[in-house]
Amino acid sequence: MTTADTPDMERFYSPRHRLTGMQTRAPADPEVREFEATVEDVERRSTNGDAVVLDETYFYAESGGQPADRGTIAGVPVTDVQTDGSAVVHHLAEDADLSPGDTVVGVIDDDFRTYCMRAHTASHLLYGAGRRLLDDLGYGGFGIDAEKVRVDFATATDIDDAVLVELERLTNRAVWDSRTVSWGEVPVDEARARDDVAFNTKTEEGVMDDADTVRLVDIEGWDVAACGGTHVSNTREIGPVEVLDRSNPGEGLTRVEFAVGPPAIDRRASVRRATLGAARHLGTSVDALDEAVADLQAERDDLEADLRAYKSEVLGARLTSLPATERDGAVWKVGTVTGFGPNEVGEAAQDRVGDGDADVIAAVGEGPAPYVVVATGGQVDAGDLVADLTDEFGGGGGGGPTFAQGGGLDADPETVVAALRDA
């Protein structure tokens, strides 16, 4: 932000504002979408719109993982809402031509407020489900964006697929049960003394340090948490909750992301469509899909095992058929191979060297940058052979007396084979 865009903080957040500027009433009265208020102060900025403080507001100021409300003040779009001390600052998209003492109408975007209320309450339901499934549970964080919501669980429990599905099931069951949601202030000491209250560490160490009371949100028979967000009054208002994914944002944390309302409906339809399609392609029912997939995976594993065995047999035959040369009483087999990687060739060469058929197997992989694999029964130092080749043709490699390999040789395969035969 440039100097011209920066408000005069000493004036804008004067003691008068800290004493008289009201905190947002949104958490206490989340259903309010339109209100009338008096302008207390306006900060005009050269490039951005006005920043306005009202004598009271129902706009939610960004905090605790919940984004600021959208809407308008005096018909001008609100781009952000933040707090400073006891002042709630509304950042407008443009100059609203307002002055202290003016009466204005604030209108809150109904769709976005409703979405945030549903999403925030759903996060409490998910955490309540976690209380029933997870060991050593702690609250690690929370956040809402336009398409999904996250809850970070601090827990020793591995949140695998089965746990994830059960979290979703319990959450949606709590929605179906139409549990009452209520909120109110209680003394801090009383809240801390209760074992059933979930706290964010930042709440305990920050907001509550200088507070006499803390706001608790209570979902009847399900979850109680210290929270300053906006919530629905009954869980049935949340609608469907669809768990999307899990991840590990930090040590000891598991992040669970979910969708609420229309995004959840769209996600569920997408998953249903994919599930029906998979069942149709596999010639089974949705209920038997997991068994059909398990059978398909077993069949794939068997085919892969057969393929490995076949490739090993083919590779062994190719190595056995390499041209043989007798040198100092040892049988050398030297030649090229194609269609196999150096690790496959190396493993097969080690299996076959010294079995009476060959004392040294040196195979060169065909391609623009050949590799070489050398396996011996100990009569010849494989590492020395590969070192001589990389000295002559470049590339790199290494190994020991009985096995070595190199790659990136700057020569065609037949030239490398000729050098091996002359070694």
Side-chain angles (χ1 to χ4, degrees), residues 46-217:
S46 60
T47 57
N48 297 319
D50 293 350
V52 178
V53 174
L54 305 176
D55 66 334
E56 69 173 12
T57 184
Y58 290 83
F59 277 88
Y60 184 82
E62 180 186 15
S63 64
Q66 180 173 331
D69 274 328
R70 303 167 183 174
T72 62
I73 291 177
V76 178
V78 176
T79 60
D80 193 15
V81 186
Q82 297 290 330
T83 59
D84 186 276
S86 60
V88 179
V89 185
H90 308 76
H91 298 271
L92 306 186
E94 58 192 52
D95 184 354
D97 193 24
L98 297 175
S99 301
D102 288 349
T103 298
V104 294
V105 174
V107 179
I108 295 161
D109 185 300
D110 178 64
D111 288 343
F112 190 68
R113 165 64 73 79
T114 300
Y115 168 71
C116 288
M117 290 165 60
R118 290 170 172 166
H120 207 147
T121 314
S123 73
H124 289 247
L125 290 185
L126 188 71
Y127 190 84
R131 290 178 186 265
R132 290 152 175 80
L133 297 174
L134 309 177
D135 296 326
D136 302 321
L137 181 61
Y139 182 78
F142 154 82
I144 299 173
D145 68 25
E147 295 297 326
K148 61 187 178 182
V149 190
R150 67 168 176 87
V151 173
D152 294 342
F153 293 103
T155 178
T157 301
D158 178 23
I159 301 182
D160 58 15
D161 289 345
V163 173
L164 203 65
V165 169
E166 189 64 5
L167 282 171
E168 179 182 278
R169 187 189 73 81
L170 289 176
T171 298
N172 280 293
R173 183 53 197 254
V175 171
W176 176 261
D177 288 342
S178 298
R179 296 174 182 269
T180 300
V181 183
S182 58
W183 45 83
E185 300 284 336
V186 302
V188 168
D189 292 341
E190 177 185 326
R192 283 180 168 155
R194 290 175 56 175
D195 293 333
D196 63 335
V197 178
F199 288 104
N200 183 337
T201 301
K202 291 181 179 178
T203 301
E204 290 188 276
E205 297 177 353
V207 176
M208 291 172 60
D209 283 347
D210 300 321
D212 295 324
T213 63
V214 61
R215 182 174 183 264
L216 298 185
V217 175

Side-chain angles (χ1 to χ4, degrees), residues 355-370:
D355 62 0
D357 186 53
D359 301 298
V360 178
I361 296 178
V364 178
E366 294 186 353

